[in-house]
Amino acid sequence: MSEVKISAEPRTEFGKGGARRTRRAGKVPAVLYGHGEKPKHIALPAREFAAAIRKGGANQLFAIEVSDGTQALALPKAIQRDPIKDTFEHVDLLLVRRGEKVTVDVPVQLTGEAAKDTLIVHDHDTLSVTADATKVPDHLEASIEGLEAGSQVTASDVQLPAGVELAADPELPVAAVTAAPTAEQLEATLPEVEEATEEAEAEVGEVTEGSEGAEEAPAAAGEESAEARTEA
């Protein structure tokens, strides 16, 4: 994976207010740490950072140039997102050196097609591997081509690029191949699904009828609602 150059600014405001103002300015609050150095608080350009993560994944290597003249090579260690806005709230960046070995979780992609009338159950979407900090793969691959029902793909079956070592248990299940349900089996479960749906609808109807005519209690004078949010 090639490194992405990105600019940054030192961050002097902390706490909820400081992080909020940083994000309003179109930047992502971040912290650089590692190698025994004192953590450094910085702000990254939100658009550039988001574009790099979309292209390279969560293990994208960044060559960071801070406006105070310092430079750093770092990997994302923890990324906090807003689940509603799908924006980045905060990033922890781990300082690395060229040639240094790091252990990271890498996504696993299944390739090929299993035997006819089977279903694939994903047990683990990522695997822990050890690699050169500048050569972390953006994904790993495991073949399910022609696998019959009852087959299993484990961590040891995943193809590893040169220089990448498995850090997870070799017997860790990645995916399982199961038999697809027959039409008869689906028909047999249909009455149970319909019955459960009818019961749920009946319960909703009872709650609705019981709430009719109820008056909403007036809010106390001066009372305000507040949304508590944890920000970096």
Side-chain angles (χ1 to χ4, degrees):
M1 180 184 298
S2 59
E3 62 194 60
V4 170
K5 293 184 178 181
I6 192 169
S7 59
E9 298 177 357
R11 188 160 52 96
T12 57
E13 290 187 303
F14 311 106
K16 295 181 179 180
R20 187 181 299 113
R21 283 187 287 273
T22 298
R23 288 191 287 270
R24 285 176 178 172
K27 301 182 183 299
V28 181
V31 175
L32 272 170
Y33 69 96
H35 292 157
E37 296 185 17
K38 181 180 179 181
K40 186 170 187 175
H41 299 267
I42 60 175
L44 301 170
R47 288 186 179 181
E48 287 85 342
F49 180 78
I53 293 298
R54 281 196 300 269
K55 182 177 180 180
N59 292 318
Q60 175 62 59
L61 180 66
F62 288 94
I64 304 172
E65 297 183 355
V66 188
S67 59
D68 62 6
T70 59
Q71 297 181 343
L73 202 61
L75 284 169
K77 187 65 175 178
I79 299 176
Q80 298 176 21
R81 294 180 185 240
D82 185 310
I84 298 177
K85 299 178 182 179
D86 194 27
T87 54
F88 295 98
E89 296 285 284
H90 188 273
V91 183
D92 287 352
L93 295 162
L94 179 66
L95 291 168
V96 296
R97 298 188 181 99
R98 299 186 188 282
E100 177 183 6
K101 294 284 187 177
V102 295
T103 299
V104 294
D105 291 335
V106 178
V108 178
Q109 295 181 4
L110 301 180
T111 62
E113 294 185 4
K116 186 179 179 181
D117 298 327
T118 59
L119 292 176
I120 307 302
V121 179
H122 292 261
D123 294 307
H124 290 86
D125 295 329
T126 63
L127 274 185
S128 180
V129 300
T130 300
D132 187 309
T134 62
K135 298 178 181 179
V136 176
D138 58 357
H139 73 280
L140 304 171
E141 294 184 354
S143 175
I144 58 171
E145 182 64 35
L147 293 184
E148 300 286 346
S151 301
Q152 188 179 55
V153 177
T154 64
S156 61
D157 298 318
V158 177
Q159 301 172 20
L160 299 178
V164 177
E165 300 176 358
L166 184 65
D169 182 350
E171 299 303 317
L172 181 73
V174 174
V177 183
T178 63
T182 64
E184 291 77 10
Q185 291 173 325
L186 292 175
E187 290 178 359
T189 60
L190 187 57
E192 298 178 3
V193 174
E194 291 178 343
E195 183 179 352
T197 302
E198 292 175 356
E199 291 179 355
E201 291 176 347
E203 291 178 0
V204 172
E206 292 176 0
V207 172
T208 303
E209 291 177 0
S211 62
E212 289 182 354
E215 296 183 359
E216 183 178 354
E223 182 179 351
E224 298 179 352
S225 63
E227 178 184 2
R229 298 192 302 173
T230 302
E231 305 184 32

